[in-house]
Amino acid sequence: MSNTQTPNTENNAHTDSSTQGSSTQDNSSQDKTYQPGNIEQPLYQHWESQGYFAPQGSGDPYSIMIPPPNVTGYLHMGHGFQESIMDALIRYQRMRGKNTLWQVGTDHAGIATQMVVERLLAEEGTDRHALGREKFIERIWEWKEHSGGHITKQLRRLGASPDWSRERFTMDDGFYKAVQEVFIRLYEDGLIYRGKRLVNWDPKLKTAVSDLEVLNKESDGHLWHFRYPLTDGSGHLVVATTRPETMLGDTAVAVHPEDERYQDLIGKTITLPIVGREIPIIADDYVDKEFGTGCVKITPAHDFNDYEMGQRHNLPMINILDDTAHLNDNVPEAYRGLERFAARKQIVADFEALELLEKIEPHKLKVPYGDRSGVVIEPYLTDQWYVKTQPLADKAIAAVEGGDIEFVPKQYENMYFAWMRDIQDWCISRQLWWGHRIPAWYDNDGKVYVGRTEEEIREKHGLADDITLRQDNDVLDTWFSSGLWTFGTLGWPEQTEMLKTFHPSSVLVTGFDIIFFWVARMIMLTLHFQKDVPFHTVYVHGLVRDSQGQKMSKSKGNVLDPIDLIDGIDLETLVKKRTSGMMVPHLREKIEKQTRKEFPDGISGYGTDALRYTFYSLASTGRDINFDVGRIEGFRNFCNKIWNAANFVLSNCENEDCGQDGSNHYELSLADRWIIGRLQHAETDVEQAFNTYRFDLASQAIQQFFWDEFCAWYLELSKPVLTGDDYTAEQKRGTRRTLVRVLETALRLAHPLMPFITEELWQKVKTLAGTSGDTIMYTEYPQADSSKIDDNAIADMEWLKEVITAVRNLRGEMKIPPGKKLPALMKNADDTATRRIEENRAFLIKLANLETLQWQEDSEEPLSAKALVGEMEVLIPMAGLIDVDAELARLQKESDKLEKEIKRLEGKLNNPKFVDKAPVEVVNKEKEKLADYQYSLKTLANQKSKIAALR
RNA sequence: GGGUGGUUAGCUCAGUUGGGAGAGCGACGGCCUUACAAGCCGUAGGUCACAGGUUCGACCCCUGUACCACCCA
């Protein structure tokens, strides 16, 4: 192996410009320790101002569409995790020469945004109704301009590199038009209809909400047993219900068709108490015989299951509530206007008075709450717009089955299929003011017209001017618009160049919790309109939790703010932050106590790179990501390590000849060849990890290479060459060359994961390493070159490491201070060992901190501490210094270990079944091991008796 | 009730076609060795949840059980 390690910068198309813009070009003032606060923001501002994040214009396209964060939102750990992953992918592909687009933007978040502004209005003593729809929407836009999109500013703190110049908002004109267009075309294709169905109704916000906005909480309720008298007077049956008030809307009682208890009741009727309505007793196998009494009251207008049953049996649907969940005019007069929970009490009391209350049992049940409003969600019968999903779902299933879209990890495909195969029509209308208004108009007869504008509709349908049309008041579900995100952001319905180039996107990075709500819908809508998939791969990551695996939530007080981890926060501010808005005093105290205990000194600022690296190290295939602050500190230390390693390299190479003149006037040492080979292995590992979305393995491979190999061994090995007098100029040049080039390459290798520190340091080493360019962002990503792997060098070096470790062990065991230089004797070396020792004396002496290194003839062996490296013995003469007991104990421990292994191996090798059936290589390997162990044991036994003789 | 994922060192987690159990953090002992004390050197610590099975051989494959988490009903 000769002059190797070329970072291939000559192939790099991006780095030819000679203009230099980095704001941190001052090579002379490297901080003594890593100070992320001093480098990150200036670098980011520089990158952004130079337009580095935009597509490069050449290379194969690679694109990622950000899952648009809520415009009212603030960055949380989940965002931090997700954005870090996207940024790593984008930076990696950008460095691999791809034409990359990271499309960024925010979501208008109908309910959340409307609520934020309504709260502001409330503070001013007014509300949206007083303001009127138009003015209210103006206020929202004003709010959005001044306070919205806070999260995109925070995204910059993470070092994210999306193309900010293309930032989109789902309510922007272009996107608005695309949403409208999609609605109209789906309507024209017969895939959108208006219908009266049960929806999740939020009686506080007075709108339909999606399943995602409903949280089912387990709570302690009751099971009330009511007697319903048979109409023919022959007795009564008993129904059990968790919601007594809905009995006012009952239109049947159901039993299981095979329930012997009730066979004679089927077909009869009961007369509903209080109401006086005669309703049938029907048979349906949905009924659970074991639950309650086996008789179920059926309220089709107020329960999803009952609704289904009502459909099957053509039952009337009686809606008993108004849109604020008060009883309406369909109930007896005495109950009208009662709030639903007051009505419950009243009904129970009245049943009791009528002696129709059989009993009350405690019962655990799931109660649906609106996650925005906090009130109990009501299944409610209303007119809404629906998307007919079945035809769309069939194609969406086929796209995944056929491999056009791939989920990573694979098992999420099952989750996707399960949901898709059981899909319901999708309610897309919302009774809000903020959102994409439904492009439908009604005439006075209630006839509906769908079109782009009122004018277009009048023209198309030949409607005279005297016919008044009014537009539908509702807006579309936010998920409807975000379903168009991949192509809507690229200019659709225009077939723009951007759309042609970057669609389908390469990968979607998202959490498994929104596979149904967003991923599935994007796939359906994109297949329909773009006749293509929205993305080829869905990388599904876990959810970030606290170190105990608890979900981070304000009420638990365990929330970590990514920005606090970057910048640091003092204890008092942190406590205030975590307890602010906490109304319940004991909760407040608990959180304060727990925070003071967990962070007695607050949180120190670890910097973005350390935070990102922590995320990557946790990004394995699991579903939960438990974020332990201890980890981030470790990675901050890793950053510091990189910083100081660079400092070492710079101080030894600046103003020196580092062999970058293109000539061959340098010579590589064993250590040089070793580290170059190890670098290739690291590059392979990292590439493999990126290809499989295993960021944890990528981060581990880089850290292991940089810290355990480059820093712990190679930098130490370079010292004797750099400072020793026995080395030629060619040798020194070779080592300096290797130092800077390996460092430069390692920085590029790590850049997608830790963008700031790598850029900062790369600017300082690039010239020394014989490369150039404006930014590390556009350098070429390191690719392994197997011709640079010198297997012999690696074998030699690994063996030498063992020798050095053996001496260090002895030193540690003998409690000899690391500073004291030791004489060492080597004995029983074969030719290879002899060569390795002789060729690398200087390395051994330096790293094992030896005074002398000599060969020992068998005859006159001095009293020594002894270790084995293969068959070679490493001796540290210890005359008079040996702690006999300690040394004997150590040797005994070693022997015990060996004996145990020998016993195991002998048993294995004496088993004819093993010897006969196992592959020869495996058997031979075991035999060799046995022989080695036996030899070692013998050597140790000798040593033991020698030491024992000292007693 | 159905489904999915998980159970490996004190903690957080790796373990790639079954062939001598790993990392980081923490613990313990020793070092301010001229890049780095945010560091260096060394040590200890695991019946791989449990019970069966397949196999010469199982953390790994199969069956069952327990517990945890999530999804659906």
Side-chain angles (χ1 to χ4, degrees):
Chain A
M1 272 318 276
S2 62
N3 46 329
T4 57
Q5 186 45 41
T6 316
N8 294 330
T9 44
E10 61 271 15
N11 297 333
N12 195 322
H14 311 302
T15 55
D16 292 331
S17 167
S18 57
T19 52
Q20 270 313 327
S22 174
S23 54
T24 53
Q25 283 294 298
D26 188 356
N27 281 4
S28 58
S29 66
Q30 166 126 337
D31 283 323
K32 201 69 184 148
T33 55
Y34 165 64
Q35 300 293 344
N38 294 347
I39 63 170
E40 294 181 353
Q41 306 244 34
L43 281 173
Y44 194 88
Q45 281 152 18
H46 177 66
W47 289 334
E48 189 175 350
S49 68
Q50 294 298 109
Y52 289 153
F53 303 155
Q56 298 74 28
S58 63
D60 294 336
Y62 181 93
S63 61
I64 296 179
M65 308 293 163
I66 201 169
N70 177 338
V71 68
T72 67
Y74 287 79
L75 194 78
H76 57 57
M77 294 295 278
H79 292 123
F81 182 63
Q82 185 173 74
E83 313 302 351
S84 295
I85 284 170
M86 283 187 270
D87 194 52
L89 288 169
I90 281 288
R91 286 180 184 271
Y92 173 69
Q93 297 292 350
R94 190 186 282 130
M95 288 176 76
R96 301 198 68 179
K98 295 273 178 67
N99 186 19
T100 55
L101 170 67
W102 184 5
Q103 175 66 49
V104 69
T106 45
D107 184 308
H108 68 279
I111 296 180
T113 310
Q114 183 162 322
M115 282 178 74
V116 165
V117 177
E118 285 189 289
R119 215 171 293 140
L120 291 178
L121 293 179
E123 282 168 20
E124 296 166 17
T126 180
D127 63 32
R128 68 182 159 110
H129 299 286
L131 222 59
R133 185 162 186 156
E134 207 168 312
K135 283 261 184 278
F136 180 65
I137 288 173
E138 270 175 37
R139 275 299 298 267
I140 294 185
W141 277 109
E142 268 173 43
W143 171 87
K144 194 252 174 189
E145 293 315 316
H146 293 115
S147 321
H150 185 78
I151 197 166
T152 59
K153 296 180 190 83
Q154 293 182 308
L155 250 176
R156 290 170 163 88
R157 295 299 315 279
L158 288 173
S161 60
D163 184 358
W164 291 111
S165 71
R166 297 189 46 81
E167 184 173 353
R168 291 289 179 274
F169 179 52
T170 48
M171 286 290 282
D172 281 343
D173 284 345
F175 202 85
Y176 198 104
K177 249 178 75 187
V179 173
Q180 201 179 45
E181 195 63 28
V182 162
F183 183 93
I184 293 164
R185 292 196 197 175
L186 282 173
Y187 182 77
E188 286 167 354
D189 293 339
L191 290 168
I192 280 187
Y193 64 92
R194 189 167 164 78
K196 207 178 192 88
R197 295 283 191 83
L198 273 195
V199 295
N200 295 310
W201 185 261
D202 189 314
K204 184 173 176 194
L205 301 174
K206 291 196 263 184
T207 178
V209 295
S210 74
D211 291 349
L212 187 67
E213 290 148 341
V214 176
L215 304 172
N216 287 302
K217 293 188 201 162
E218 180 138 309
S219 52
D220 293 316
H222 297 91
L223 205 53
W224 285 271
H225 292 243
F226 287 170
R227 293 187 197 123
Y228 281 7
L230 293 163
T231 309
D232 62 13
S234 62
H236 67 264
L237 55 74
V238 177
V239 297
T241 180
T242 57
R243 300 199 53 196
E245 69 281 10
T246 63
M247 62 79 52
L248 297 170
D250 284 358
T251 56
V253 170
V255 298
H256 195 278
E258 285 153 26
D259 194 331
E260 306 89 31
R261 294 173 292 178
Y262 305 120
Q263 285 300 321
D264 55 336
L265 293 181
I266 298 170
K268 289 189 175 178
T269 61
I270 62 111
T271 301
L272 205 53
I274 296 172
V275 183
R277 184 162 56 238
E278 185 175 343
I279 61 175
I281 299 164
I282 60 173
D284 192 296
D285 59 14
Y286 166 77
V287 176
D288 180 355
K289 286 190 279 188
E290 310 302 321
F291 184 81
T293 59
C295 293
V296 188
K297 60 189 271 313
I298 304 300
T299 323
H302 292 284
D303 181 279
F304 287 100
N305 294 315
D306 293 5
Y307 179 85
E308 298 278 316
M309 203 180 294
Q311 298 278 313
R312 286 199 289 275
H313 297 272
N314 280 317
L315 298 174
M317 290 187 275
I318 301 175
N319 177 17
I320 60 164
L321 295 174
D322 66 13
D323 62 5
T324 59
H326 288 64
L327 292 174
N328 65 18
D329 291 351
N330 291 331
V331 302
E333 215 170 326
Y335 296 89
R336 289 177 194 168
L338 277 180
E339 193 275 332
R340 53 185 163 166
F341 295 109
R344 176 175 301 178
K345 276 190 186 154
Q346 190 61 51
I347 291 287
V348 171
D350 291 349
F351 262 78
E352 193 162 20
L354 292 167
E355 295 186 350
L356 294 172
L357 178 62
E358 176 110 352
K359 61 173 169 176
I360 306 175
E361 289 176 330
H363 180 67
K364 274 202 197 313
L365 74 166
K366 292 257 172 101
V367 179
Y369 288 88
D371 78 334
R372 297 283 172 194
S373 65
V375 302
V376 175
I377 293 295
E378 193 67 45
Y380 190 56
L381 200 57
T382 53
D383 283 309
Q384 300 287 349
W385 289 92
Y386 289 89
V387 172
K388 200 174 183 178
T389 39
Q390 197 57 56
L392 298 171
D394 290 342
K395 287 181 186 158
I397 289 169
V400 176
E401 277 175 343
D404 294 336
I405 299 175
E406 208 175 348
F407 281 73
V408 176
K410 198 93 181 156
Q411 69 259 21
Y412 287 108
E413 288 181 6
N414 291 331
M415 197 191 254
Y416 171 83
F417 287 136
W419 190 75
M420 272 296 191
R421 288 182 177 133
D422 191 32
I423 195 166
Q424 307 288 311
D425 283 358
W426 171 19
C427 175
I428 50 171
S429 41
R430 295 290 181 268
Q431 289 64 51
L432 304 172
W433 285 358
W434 175 240
H436 304 91
R437 187 131 178 213
I438 291 176
W441 280 260
Y442 304 90
D443 63 20
N444 283 335
D445 300 329
K447 187 166 189 292
V448 65
Y449 305 91
V450 168
R452 281 152 197 89
T453 60
E454 190 175 331
E455 291 69 47
E456 186 196 273
I457 286 168
R458 284 184 186 279
E459 195 172 324
K460 189 174 169 191
H461 297 276
L463 301 178
D465 288 350
D466 61 345
I467 296 176
T468 54
L469 291 177
R470 60 178 177 82
Q471 189 174 0
D472 194 311
N473 277 324
D474 292 349
V475 299
L476 290 162
D477 179 10
T478 308
W479 295 104
F480 185 84
S481 46
S482 45
L484 324 177
W485 189 244
T486 63
F487 57 97
T489 49
L490 294 175
W492 190 92
E494 259 62 69
Q495 288 295 312
T496 61
E497 276 310 307
M498 288 301 280
L499 185 62
K500 285 184 214 162
T501 306
F502 291 109
H503 200 277
S505 63
S506 308
V507 57
L508 177 77
V509 178
T510 188
F512 63 82
D513 51 335
I514 58 170
I515 286 180
F516 310 143
F517 293 95
W518 190 47
V519 179
R521 279 154 190 177
M522 271 197 287
I523 294 174
M524 289 193 288
L525 290 175
T526 311
L527 283 170
H528 188 75
F529 285 99
Q530 196 57 22
K531 305 291 172 229
D532 205 346
V533 296
F535 28 70
H536 296 295
T537 302
V538 183
Y539 170 68
V540 182
H541 59 71
L543 300 185
V544 180
R545 297 166 175 281
D546 76 3
S547 62
Q548 308 300 308
Q550 296 287 312
K551 208 164 171 174
M552 288 189 189
S553 78
K554 180 96 182 141
S555 61
K556 281 184 192 142
N558 60 350
V559 173
L560 286 171
D561 182 336
I563 304 297
D564 292 342
L565 290 167
I566 293 171
D567 292 339
I569 185 168
D570 66 82
L571 179 61
E572 297 313 318
T573 312
L574 180 63
V575 166
K576 208 177 283 172
K577 195 168 166 178
R578 283 186 160 187
T579 54
S580 74
M582 280 286 145
M583 293 308 171
V584 192
H586 79 266
L587 216 59
R588 201 191 169 96
E589 281 163 30
K590 195 182 133 202
I591 289 169
E592 173 162 358
K593 207 173 146 194
Q594 154 196 326
T595 301
R596 288 185 188 280
K597 190 180 166 203
E598 192 178 355
F599 303 104
D601 305 312
I603 298 173
S604 57
Y606 298 111
T608 297
D609 288 325
L611 175 64
R612 288 175 57 136
Y613 216 81
T614 311
F615 285 136
Y616 300 126
S617 75
L618 295 169
S620 61
T621 58
R623 280 187 182 184
D624 295 322
I625 291 144
N626 295 355
F627 193 95
D628 184 349
V629 177
R631 294 289 297 255
I632 193 173
E633 185 171 355
F635 292 120
R636 188 272 315 264
N637 295 352
F638 178 43
C639 290
N640 188 52
K641 192 74 181 173
I642 295 173
W643 188 263
N644 282 296
N647 193 25
F648 172 81
V649 173
L650 288 170
S651 66
N652 280 288
C653 296
E654 274 174 335
N655 308 315
E656 298 282 351
D657 180 353
C658 296
Q660 300 299 345
D661 58 359
S663 74
N664 284 347
H665 297 157
Y666 60 88
E667 187 183 323
L668 296 181
S669 72
L670 172 67
D672 296 333
R673 286 174 282 132
W674 169 75
I675 195 67
I676 288 164
R678 294 304 309 160
L679 175 62
Q680 310 310 311
H681 284 293
E683 288 168 2
T684 303
D685 292 346
V686 172
E687 181 176 355
Q688 169 78 16
F690 264 109
N691 289 342
T692 51
Y693 298 90
R694 286 300 301 271
F695 302 95
D696 59 327
L697 299 181
S699 72
Q700 207 182 353
I702 290 171
Q703 189 182 16
Q704 195 189 329
F705 172 76
F706 203 94
W707 198 322
D708 300 344
E709 297 186 315
F710 185 64
C711 292
W713 288 99
Y714 180 68
L715 293 189
E716 296 304 321
L717 290 162
S718 75
K719 287 175 185 175
V721 182
L722 295 173
T723 59
D725 299 330
D726 313 335
Y727 292 88
T728 65
E730 281 75 17
Q731 287 170 323
K732 286 174 187 283
R733 205 175 289 133
T735 289
R736 279 196 296 265
R737 179 186 159 93
T738 307
L739 273 173
V740 290
R741 297 187 79 126
V742 171
L743 173 64
E744 193 271 345
T745 308
L747 291 172
R748 284 185 285 127
L749 193 66
H751 180 255
L753 306 187
M754 30 178 45
F756 291 116
I757 188 174
T758 50
E759 173 78 299
E760 180 73 16
L761 295 175
W762 185 81
Q763 295 293 348
K764 291 173 179 164
V765 302
K766 62 180 179 183
T767 309
L768 286 175
T771 184
S772 64
D774 292 341
T775 170
I776 192 172
M777 286 177 60
Y778 285 163
T779 57
E780 182 166 311
Y781 200 70
Q783 291 231 264
D785 177 349
S786 58
S787 73
K788 292 176 185 165
I789 299 174
D790 182 340
D791 287 328
N792 293 328
I794 289 176
D796 283 1
M797 193 61 226
E798 297 304 327
W799 186 86
L800 287 168
K801 281 164 68 178
E802 278 186 56
V803 176
I804 291 161
T805 305
V807 176
R808 287 174 177 173
N809 283 349
L810 291 176
R811 187 191 291 275
E813 297 292 350
M814 298 289 99
K815 306 252 190 291
I816 302 165
K820 182 169 168 55
K821 290 190 191 306
L822 298 174
L825 299 169
M826 304 290 158
K827 183 180 158 185
N828 198 31
D830 62 14
D831 290 350
T832 305
T834 308
R835 175 184 61 77
R836 284 167 167 168
I837 298 280
E838 287 302 337
E839 285 177 0
N840 297 287
R841 280 181 163 273
F843 287 150
L844 288 168
I845 288 168
K846 169 73 184 169
L847 271 81
N849 200 19
L850 300 179
E851 183 181 29
T852 56
L853 170 55
Q854 292 175 313
W855 294 104
Q856 172 64 43
E857 302 308 323
D858 281 343
S859 47
E860 57 217 271
E861 179 178 321
L863 186 61
S864 307
K866 183 181 283 186
L868 293 169
V869 177
E871 299 198 347
M872 190 181 81
E873 297 171 28
V874 178
L875 282 66
I876 306 296
M878 291 293 298
L881 292 176
I882 284 189
D883 177 340
V884 174
D885 292 331
E887 180 63 359
L888 277 176
R890 182 181 75 89
L891 292 168
Q892 190 57 48
K893 213 169 75 184
E894 284 285 306
S895 304
D896 289 347
K897 226 188 266 176
L898 285 170
E899 271 173 24
K900 213 174 124 195
E901 276 301 289
I902 287 167
K903 223 173 169 180
R904 197 181 63 84
L905 287 169
E906 280 174 344
K908 211 169 173 182
L909 287 164
N910 287 334
N911 181 351
K913 286 184 188 162
F914 171 70
V915 181
D916 293 345
K917 295 198 180 176
V920 188
E921 312 89 73
V922 174
V923 176
N924 286 341
K925 210 172 136 196
E926 301 293 275
K927 280 182 183 162
E928 272 172 40
K929 269 193 278 182
L930 180 61
D932 286 350
Y933 292 162
Q934 281 167 336
Y935 179 85
S936 300
L937 185 64
K938 209 175 91 191
T939 311
L940 285 178
N942 287 340
Q943 178 73 358
K944 261 195 297 184
S945 53
K946 261 183 219 158
I947 300 289
L950 291 177
R951 273 204 227 257

